[in-house]
Amino acid sequence: MALTGRAALVAALGSLPIGIWEPSWTGILAVNAPLAVACACDFALAAPVRRLGLTRSGDTSARLGETADVTLTVTNPSGRPLRAHIRDAWPPSSWQPGTEVEASRHHLTIPAGERRRVTTRLRPTRRGDRQADRVTIRSYGPLRLFSRQGTHKVPWTVRVLPPFTSRKHLPSKLARLRELDGRTSVLTRGEGTEFDSLREYVPGDDTRSIDWRATARQSAVAVRTWRPERDRHILLVLDTGRTSAGRVGDAPRLDASMDAALLLAALASRAGDRVDLLAYDRGVRALVQGRTAKDLLPSLVNAMAPLEPELVETNARGLTATALRTAPRRSLVVLLTSLDAAPIEEGLLPLLPQLTQRHTVLLASVADPHIARMATARGNAEAIYEAAAAAQAQTERQRTAEQLRRHGVTVVDATPDDLAPALADAYLALKAAGRL
């Protein structure tokens, strides 16, 4: 408890003329007795802080970049009115820089025996769980000469979810999916592996699609139409090792991988496929299995929210073994990892046959757009050296991708803005080719 009115008393005494200071302290107190009485009364009339009741309510989750409102209810059980300044403390990443003071400070007056609510508006700048720290309350008397101060622990957690910015691409990908799935009047000839229907032959149709038995029963030549098989299994594998910590623009590579995984999961679930998630570095960081299409996206974003890159080398052997256990039957395994030569050639490449023998494997990697800009730079010696370094990095990356393709892996290498739609297109292409 702090008696902040002491400074006011000292200032008041210090402002007296020099002559008044010359007598003894008894004389000073006699002259300033009204001030001392006023200070004592002000302190006595300040509502006690320890007896206040505090509870929270409001949002428990928000997407990154959006706001979350958390309401603090303050109950004043004493017989004195509460005149207070309140600081609702949260971690610094709960607000945009420079807005914390305005957002976390509140002023309120609560009559005796009543309650009031104040709302703290958070705008987090990082994914993960944001936990309330403490509430500091300074209670003033009517003259504001003295105050009582105390803190209360009022727990609350707001989970900051991935923003899923790539959802803007979902309508166009779903339109392409409907074409492949035969949900529109346009059926793509010769694609897919699941029989859909019969129709009359038109010039240009693949003769292998002719149904001779159906043709014999009618006067026209009949051909089979196909659609991609449904109820395929897709395992999304997020590499959360050190390579996922590299920043591309304002965010780590892991965030772009998450965004791409969410778009693919939304698209695949609409196609009737089952989607699971595995996050791994040297152990399982997150695992989502057996969710229905309705519950899939909420489960994925909730599991991804607290994930952060670990500054350790990913155990490729452990990742492969865990993926095989998680997907016991033939599946599409989507590895969201790096295309850096060292971790691929020394870690993943020797183990790929274990995956490709049983599963269709697709590897998606985040490319740095700054490298592409460097490769086109000219004008001075420094720019030319940068262009040479960028060209060497691109060549090494292409060589690594070609090694993976020779092992039967489909490779998607794109910048953060383009990775999600490129991965969705690769999924649709595999589906159209009947490889799922």
Side-chain angles (χ1 to χ4, degrees):
M1 184 170 64
L3 303 180
T4 58
R6 185 180 302 165
L9 177 59
V10 173
L13 293 175
S15 65
L16 297 176
I18 297 298
I20 298 180
W21 283 90
E22 292 177 356
S24 65
W25 274 101
T26 304
I28 294 174
L29 293 176
V31 172
N32 293 279
L35 179 60
V37 171
C39 291
C41 291
D42 197 51
F43 174 72
L45 292 174
V49 173
R50 296 180 184 275
R51 294 174 55 192
L52 296 176
L54 286 85
T55 57
R56 291 191 187 273
S57 60
D59 296 333
T60 57
S61 65
R63 293 193 182 277
L64 183 64
E66 298 178 355
T67 59
D69 291 338
V70 180
T71 299
L72 183 68
T73 302
V74 184
T75 304
N76 178 18
S78 70
R80 288 164 278 178
L82 174 69
R83 309 166 188 86
H85 290 172
I86 295 178
R87 178 177 182 263
D88 189 4
W90 290 75
S93 59
S94 302
W95 291 281
Q96 297 288 337
T99 64
E100 177 183 358
V101 173
E102 180 181 357
S104 63
R105 267 68 167 183
H106 307 282
H107 306 273
L108 79 168
T109 300
I110 307 178
E114 297 187 14
R115 69 183 64 181
R116 294 289 184 273
R117 294 183 177 90
V118 293
T119 299
T120 301
R121 174 158 290 182
L122 309 179
R123 193 179 183 88
T125 58
R126 292 179 57 188
R127 284 183 297 100
D129 292 336
R130 299 292 166 265
Q131 297 181 344
D133 185 8
R134 65 190 67 187
V135 178
T136 303
I137 302 177
R138 181 172 291 177
S139 170
Y140 290 92
L143 300 178
R144 294 186 175 271
L145 296 176
F146 276 83
S147 69
R148 305 168 184 262
Q149 181 169 307
T151 60
H152 289 258
K153 284 284 189 179
V154 191
W156 194 260
T157 300
V158 174
R159 173 155 288 191
V160 186
L161 308 173
F164 193 14
T165 55
S166 64
R167 63 181 178 272
K168 62 187 177 185
H169 299 289
L170 188 57
S172 63
K173 304 307 176 187
L174 287 175
R176 173 61 177 155
L177 176 65
R178 284 192 294 270
E179 291 182 4
L180 295 178
D181 206 21
R183 296 176 188 166
T184 65
S185 58
V186 179
L187 281 175
T188 307
R189 193 171 56 248
E191 295 182 350
T193 58
E194 186 175 309
F195 176 74
D196 182 72
S197 61
L198 293 171
R199 62 171 174 80
E200 187 175 344
Y201 174 87
V202 295
D205 280 342
D206 189 344
T207 55
R208 291 174 297 180
S209 297
I210 297 176
D211 189 319
W212 296 107
R213 289 187 179 181
T215 300
R217 292 194 300 267
Q218 58 189 34
S219 59
V221 177
V223 295
R224 301 185 188 94
T225 59
W226 307 87
R227 63 182 178 185
E229 289 188 58
R230 301 174 65 82
D231 195 29
R232 302 295 89 188
H233 181 228
I234 298 173
L235 176 62
L236 303 172
V237 182
L238 278 175
D239 180 356
T240 56
R242 65 167 185 84
T243 56
S244 68
R247 299 188 74 83
V248 178
D250 296 329
R253 283 185 167 90
L254 180 60
D255 285 29
S257 297
M258 288 180 180
D259 195 50
L262 288 173
L263 180 63
L264 178 56
L267 182 62
S269 64
R270 296 287 187 90
D273 295 336
R274 296 185 299 106
V275 182
D276 293 337
L277 170 73
L278 169 67
Y280 194 96
D281 43 65
R282 289 192 174 177
V284 177
R285 300 285 306 284
L287 182 61
V288 177
Q289 287 182 291
R291 297 297 191 273
T292 63
K294 180 180 179 181
D295 297 332
L296 178 63
L297 279 181
S299 299
L300 290 182
V301 295
N302 193 56
M304 290 177 180
L307 290 178
E308 294 292 344
E310 292 292 323
L311 299 181
V312 296
E313 198 71 44
T314 298
N315 181 355
R317 189 173 298 278
L319 184 149
T320 303
T322 306
L324 290 171
R325 287 197 303 270
T326 308
R329 67 183 182 90
R330 186 163 186 82
S331 309
L332 171 64
V333 177
V334 182
L335 297 174
L336 294 123
T337 185
S338 168
L339 261 182
D340 293 350
I344 292 292
E345 294 176 358
E346 298 174 10
L348 183 61
L349 208 57
L351 302 169
L352 268 181
Q354 300 179 32
L355 284 175
T356 55
Q357 286 174 3
R358 187 186 302 178
H359 303 298
T360 301
V361 180
L362 192 162
L363 186 144
S365 181
V366 183
D368 191 345
H370 183 62
I371 300 296
R373 291 193 295 268
M374 286 174 56
T376 60
R378 299 293 186 272
N380 54 48
E382 181 179 354
I384 292 173
Y385 278 117
E386 288 183 352
Q392 182 179 3
Q394 288 177 329
T395 301
E396 186 177 77
R397 198 173 181 89
Q398 292 168 1
R399 182 176 62 83
T400 304
E402 188 57 37
Q403 286 181 296
L404 292 168
R405 292 188 182 100
R406 285 199 296 268
H407 282 77
V409 178
T410 301
V411 178
V412 176
D413 186 21
T415 60
D417 291 339
D418 297 331
L419 181 65
L423 180 59
D425 287 339
Y427 163 76
L428 292 173
L430 289 172
K431 209 167 186 63
R435 294 182 58 188
L436 296 186

